[in-house]
Amino acid sequence: MKNLLKILGAISLIGLGSARADLYDNFSSANLNTNKWEVRQDIEGQPLMDEGFVTNGVFHTQQNSIEDKRTYLVPRHQFKSGDTLDYDVNVISGEGNYGNVDILVGGGYDRVAMGMVGYNNGPQTREEFGTTHIRFSFSENNFNIQEFFPSGEIVINNLPLTDPQATYELYIGSFSNGKANIDYDNFYLNGIPAPRFESISIQGGQAVITSSGVDNRPYTLESSTNLTSNAWNPVTNFVGSRTLASPLLDSPTEKYKFYRIKDSFE
């Protein structure tokens, strides 16, 4: 083209991406991997919810009757200083008291409930339907929880840890005394893998971009004509891995166009 348009692919990948990311489980098999998980009741002893199993690539929990029940996924991984765990929880519906809650056990703590998403005698951290991304980070003296809600709000909580050599268990699960439908997916150790560009081509006056990302995770394709200005414009929102199309030029004076993928949970 006369204007010497250049399309540059992997200029910038921003968000929670990590080169160290290790997929723990995305429930791609038909059954729960019992080498990685235990399904447990709450330490307080409430019975398991009516439904708790792998289906359609998620771990699904559901309460159909009005009764106080809880179901927890417990990773067999023993957590220690330096570990992180990321996961997605999709709160589809709920009545009465319901939600997702995480319990830390170990290092002198018998049962500490943190990171609640839902309603429990009043709205907790946030009461939002949809997918919330949650990250746990362990350091020598602190346990950090970050919650990235569908509305875009980020909530951060911390719990002091006193034994740098301690190991910990995490209970990750659902509770309800009414009805609830809550699913879990995309468990990663050591961060979330960064989205990446797989290919870029020009077809019919458009840039056709193929990207790969974490299943069901929201991203935004952004473009810029000048990297020094740090001005990026949204092109489209998408989920997981997609092939996307973008007009090559927004004005006749443009000579360059750059693209990046932004993690919407950032």
Side-chain angles (χ1 to χ4, degrees):
M1 299 176 65
K2 291 183 179 180
N3 58 6
L4 301 178
L5 174 70
K6 295 182 180 180
I7 301 175
L8 301 185
I11 295 298
S12 177
L13 299 176
I14 62 176
L16 297 176
S18 169
R20 297 177 55 226
D22 178 27
L23 176 64
Y24 189 75
D25 206 352
N26 62 359
F27 307 110
S28 57
S29 63
N31 299 300
L32 187 68
N33 186 341
T34 55
N35 292 321
K36 293 183 175 182
W37 301 102
E38 290 183 63
V39 175
R40 295 185 192 173
Q41 298 172 251
D42 195 309
I43 296 169
E44 295 179 340
Q46 292 83 355
L48 295 174
M49 297 174 74
D50 296 334
E51 299 179 19
F53 49 79
V54 172
T55 181
N56 298 320
V58 301
F59 184 80
H60 167 73
T61 64
Q62 187 162 324
Q63 178 63 22
N64 302 316
S65 57
I66 300 175
E67 185 178 353
D68 186 8
K69 295 184 178 182
R70 308 177 190 183
T71 293
Y72 289 92
L73 275 175
V74 180
R76 292 189 182 274
H77 179 87
Q78 294 289 301
F79 293 89
K80 61 185 184 303
S81 177
D83 284 346
T84 67
L85 179 71
D86 287 78
Y87 75 91
D88 296 330
V89 53
N90 184 11
V91 181
I92 299 167
S93 63
E95 300 175 10
N97 291 333
Y98 70 92
N100 157 244
V101 67
D102 305 303
I103 295 173
L104 180 75
V105 178
Y109 291 110
D110 295 328
R111 183 189 184 278
V112 179
M114 296 182 68
M116 191 176 294
V117 180
Y119 187 95
N120 187 27
N121 298 317
Q124 298 303 304
T125 310
R126 291 283 297 180
E127 184 188 12
E128 289 189 26
F129 295 118
T131 298
T132 295
H133 180 77
I134 296 179
R135 165 172 280 188
F136 305 127
S137 301
F138 291 84
S139 63
E140 288 189 354
N141 57 10
N142 188 64
F143 175 58
N144 173 266
I145 298 179
Q146 300 177 64
E147 298 169 289
F148 301 80
F149 288 92
S151 63
E153 183 172 352
I154 301 173
V155 175
I156 300 174
N157 287 288
N158 293 282
L159 178 73
L161 302 178
T162 59
D163 183 357
Q165 305 304 317
T167 59
Y168 301 88
E169 282 189 321
L170 284 173
Y171 285 59
I172 301 161
S174 305
F175 69 92
S176 179
N177 67 0
K179 297 181 179 181
N181 184 352
I182 303 171
D183 291 344
Y184 298 83
D185 198 7
N186 296 325
F187 285 80
Y188 281 86
L189 296 171
N190 302 317
I192 291 291
R196 64 180 183 269
F197 292 105
E198 300 292 348
S199 66
I200 301 179
S201 61
I202 299 174
Q203 300 178 22
Q206 290 189 316
V208 177
I209 301 166
T210 299
S211 69
S212 62
V214 176
D215 289 347
N216 300 315
R217 190 171 182 83
Y219 302 101
T220 301
L221 177 68
E222 298 182 330
S223 69
S224 176
T225 58
N226 186 344
L227 290 182
T228 60
S229 69
N230 199 31
W232 292 90
N233 300 307
V235 176
T236 187
N237 298 318
F238 65 99
V239 174
S241 301
R242 290 283 299 277
T243 297
L244 311 162
S246 169
L248 290 180
L249 297 174
D250 295 319
S251 74
T253 61
E254 289 180 355
K255 294 184 179 181
Y256 301 91
K257 203 161 192 180
F258 307 92
Y259 291 96
R260 72 180 183 181
I261 299 172
K262 182 177 180 180
D263 189 321
S264 299
F265 279 130
E266 181 198 8

